[in-house]
Amino acid sequence: MSMQKIAVIGAGTMGNGIAHVFAQNGFNVNLIDVSETALQKALQTISKNIDRQIAKGTVTEADKTQTLANITTHTALADGVKEASLVVEAATENVALKLKIFQELDQHAHPDAILATNTSSISITKIAAATKRPAKVIGMHFMNPVPVMKLVEIINGYATDKNVTEQIVALSEKLGKVPCVVNDYPGFIANRILMPMINEAIYSLYEGVAGVAEIDTVMKLGMAHPMGPLQLADFIGLDVCLSILNVLHDGFGNPKYAPCPLLVNMVTAGYLGVKSGEGFYQYTPGSKELVVSPLHSNR
């Protein structure tokens, strides 16, 4: 099948970003979500993000018009995927939900379609096993924000066909991305390295080694990281960080991946970072000032 019709499942942050990038590069995109409200919000987000690109001079108004015209929304999965040559699932990072989606995809997608998941930590092999086409299942782990970040971590499941990998590598390059192929072990590469670093930063705060701003400043100025690990954790979502650490801990059985008790408590209390308005920092709509949460200012 020619890679021209793309289906993206999930209209959240990652899904709308993936749809944006495909549509901007000339692909016809079916954006699928059970919520019509979420779909309309996604289109508004894509429009605003393109406006930022226009302001920077990287695209034109005509490009915006064409990009938005390339996106069609669907609330029914079966309708949205039936003609797609590639389906990219970007639903919530939940094992049961993803397995259910892939079972449905296997029934409704074209037999030759490649089924990809944007999971950041869940086993590609496990997801593929929910289908009758494991050779055509692969991971496409885009980074947030998708229109800006160049990396696509491409993850081979145990049975992924080499030709499928080659097609996805070539497709990623057409999107202007840099593909890196890795194998299917807990956390892949990105999160296997990133999450223990974030967890260690949280432990350093928990044990009173240094404060929030100090930990992030050391990593930004000393290690040339564009964002400190605690701010990055807020940006990712502390619930997502906890979920990935649990996947690493369960997958390897190694105590070094055990999530810090402070992270567990924060998630339990609903302090999830940017998405909830407060994590290690407080977030005020319209403000870019970094303000350490009062709950951590005395740590």
Side-chain angles (χ1 to χ4, degrees):
M1 299 177 72
S2 63
M3 287 284 185
Q4 195 54 41
K5 174 73 79 172
I6 310 296
V8 178
I9 298 175
T13 300
M14 296 306 294
N16 74 57
I18 294 166
H20 174 169
V21 168
F22 273 107
Q24 192 164 283
N25 284 277
F27 293 87
N28 295 315
V29 179
N30 287 347
L31 181 58
I32 305 163
D33 198 289
V34 292
S35 167
E36 180 62 37
T37 300
L39 289 167
Q40 294 309 311
K41 184 179 178 181
L43 292 176
Q44 292 170 8
T45 299
I46 293 169
S47 179
K48 289 177 183 176
N49 287 339
I50 299 174
D51 286 340
R52 290 192 185 95
Q53 294 176 311
I54 292 171
K56 293 177 181 177
T58 57
V59 301
T60 65
E61 285 285 354
D63 293 328
K64 176 181 178 178
T65 300
Q66 186 59 58
T67 297
L68 293 174
N70 286 343
I71 301 173
T72 305
T73 60
H74 295 265
T75 54
L77 182 143
D79 292 339
V81 304
K82 62 184 178 182
E83 296 179 355
S85 50
L86 169 68
V87 181
V88 182
E89 172 273 319
T92 304
E93 193 76 347
N94 176 285
V95 175
L97 176 62
K98 289 187 186 291
L99 295 180
K100 181 176 181 291
I101 289 172
F102 272 79
Q103 287 169 351
E104 292 183 30
L105 286 179
D106 201 34
Q107 294 175 30
H108 299 295
H110 190 283
D112 292 331
I114 295 172
L115 308 181
T117 173
N118 182 58
T119 182
S120 57
S121 61
I122 297 169
S123 167
I124 308 304
T125 303
K126 185 171 186 175
I127 291 172
T131 76
K132 295 176 182 176
R133 60 177 97 187
K136 291 185 175 294
V137 177
I138 195 166
M140 285 187 83
H141 180 203
F142 289 84
M143 305 292 137
N144 185 27
V146 181
V148 176
M149 300 292 279
K150 288 289 187 182
L151 176 66
V152 179
E153 189 178 29
I154 296 172
I155 308 103
N156 286 320
Y158 186 79
T160 303
D161 186 86
K162 182 180 179 182
N163 182 55
V164 168
T165 306
E166 291 171 352
Q167 288 183 71
I168 296 303
V169 166
L171 182 66
S172 300
E173 291 171 342
K174 285 184 181 178
L175 298 177
K177 303 298 185 184
V178 178
C180 287
V181 179
V182 307
N183 291 317
D184 185 26
Y185 293 96
F188 316 136
I189 288 297
N191 282 316
R192 182 170 177 171
I193 294 171
L194 174 63
M195 286 302 154
M197 182 191 75
I198 287 176
N199 201 38
E200 193 62 29
I202 299 171
Y203 262 113
S204 296
L205 177 66
Y206 175 64
E207 294 171 356
V209 179
V212 171
E214 289 74 16
I215 291 167
D216 278 355
T217 298
V218 166
M219 296 306 291
K220 286 189 286 187
L221 300 186
M223 314 304 165
H225 290 194
M227 187 182 293
L230 299 177
Q231 185 187 0
L232 179 56
D234 274 357
F235 182 71
I236 293 168
L238 302 190
D239 53 336
V240 176
C241 293
L242 177 59
S243 174
I244 296 170
L245 282 164
N246 283 331
V247 167
L248 289 167
H249 191 215
D250 292 344
F252 289 116
N254 190 323
K256 75 177 182 179
Y257 296 112
C260 178
L262 175 58
L263 174 62
V264 175
N265 278 350
M266 290 177 70
V267 173
T268 302
Y271 291 84
L272 308 181
V274 175
K275 70 174 78 174
S276 68
E278 188 169 354
F280 295 105
Y281 296 89
Q282 282 187 322
Y283 300 92
T284 304
S287 173
K288 293 185 178 180
E289 183 182 3
L290 265 184
V291 178
V292 174
S293 165
L295 294 172
H296 298 293
S297 58
N298 295 321
R299 286 186 181 273

